[in-house]
Amino acid sequence: QIAGVSACVRRVTTAGSHIQSAPPSVLMQKDEGDGSASAPQKTFNCFNICPELVETLHSQNIIHPTAVQMQAILKILKGCNILCAAETGSGKTLAYLLPIINRLQEEPFTDSERNIRAVVIVPSQELAEQVTSVARSVSKPLGLEMGVRHMRLQGEMPATVREGTFRNFQKGNVDWPICRE
Ligand SMILES: Nc1ncnc2c1ncn2[C@@H]1O[C@H](COP(=O)(O)OP(=O)(O)OP(=O)(O)O)[C@@H](O)[C@H]1O
């Protein structure tokens, strides 16, 4: 089981409900550290994640981690629980997906053992589909499977109902479901 990844991802939009599609955070990309303007940008290799994952990112032209990815990925890889808030388009989705995917591929298991090992919960169906699409594009080359399930997760939901729903997920033969609230 993957424990400790509790990345709360919050959409930060401009006034009203308009969602900006700002280009990813090359704009936010700066190495905070040595203060040198000419310091080379880091690549995803700096996280020591599996080379195939880095290659997959490269094939999608995702070469340099954004500012929020630089901060979040290391902490999640270390097992910290994090709360991450950053503007839309800043790369939060991969910031929490990459450590999960890296961990899943580190601990391969056979079909007979197949079990849910990670769960992503998001607040809308649209977001569930977006996250699934990103997650699939990055994890498929590593042989990981995921599914989308819609279920209402509410504080007052009886634990037995919640557990029953997750048990049903397991029949679907997926490594990790992405649920909508
Ligand atoms: N390091 C990166 N380099 C280049 N492109 C990136 C990088 N990280 C993410 N992207 C791309 O930037 C776009 C926006 O990223 P993403 O959707 O993760 O942002 P977000 O912060 O989760 O946005 P939202 O708050 O709207 O969910 C996506 O197309 C994604 O593939």
Side-chain angles (χ1 to χ4, degrees):
Q1 295 285 334
I2 290 201
V5 176
S6 169
C8 174
V9 182
R10 184 165 294 279
R11 234 163 228 268
V12 180
T13 59
T14 49
S17 59
H18 175 70
I19 297 175
Q20 266 186 325
S21 61
S25 12
V26 194
L27 63 160
M28 298 172 63
Q29 185 68 50
K30 65 177 179 202
D31 281 333
E32 293 161 10
D34 64 7
S36 157
S38 60
Q41 287 185 330
K42 295 204 161 95
T43 67
F44 284 88
N45 286 312
C46 75
F47 300 120
N48 256 335
I49 55 177
C50 99
E52 290 80 11
L53 195 46
V54 177
E55 262 172 48
T56 302
L57 293 171
H58 280 204
S59 72
Q60 298 177 18
N61 216 16
I62 297 177
I63 315 286
H64 305 291
T66 65
V68 73
Q69 289 164 354
M70 282 304 298
Q71 290 178 47
I73 291 175
L74 275 178
K75 287 196 169 65
I76 301 174
L77 286 171
K78 282 185 194 159
C80 299
N81 292 320
I82 69 152
L83 179 68
C84 169
E87 67 188 37
T88 192
S90 55
K92 297 183 294 295
T93 310
L94 280 177
Y96 67 87
L97 287 180
L98 290 179
I100 295 174
I101 294 167
N102 190 58
R103 176 80 174 270
L104 290 175
Q105 66 76 36
E106 270 176 353
E107 297 171 8
F109 60 147
T110 63
D111 277 349
S112 59
E113 298 169 314
R114 200 169 273 270
N115 224 337
I116 289 175
R117 299 188 293 165
V119 177
V120 178
I121 300 170
V122 295
S124 72
Q125 178 171 353
E126 184 204 5
L127 199 50
E129 281 161 10
Q130 280 174 25
V131 172
T132 305
S133 155
V134 176
R136 283 213 171 107
S137 75
V138 182
S139 65
K140 199 100 184 159
L142 303 172
L144 297 167
E145 292 294 335
M146 76 202 62
V148 189
R149 300 290 186 277
H150 293 175
M151 78 187 236
R152 289 182 72 195
L153 293 172
Q154 292 177 323
E156 65 271 23
M157 189 182 215
T160 46
V161 176
R162 203 189 318 251
E163 283 160 16
T165 311
F166 278 99
R167 257 197 304 280
N168 283 339
F169 283 174
Q170 295 188 5
K171 293 184 192 141
N173 224 19
V174 296
D175 287 306
W176 44 321
I178 296 182
C179 320
R180 84 173 269 273
E181 217 173 345

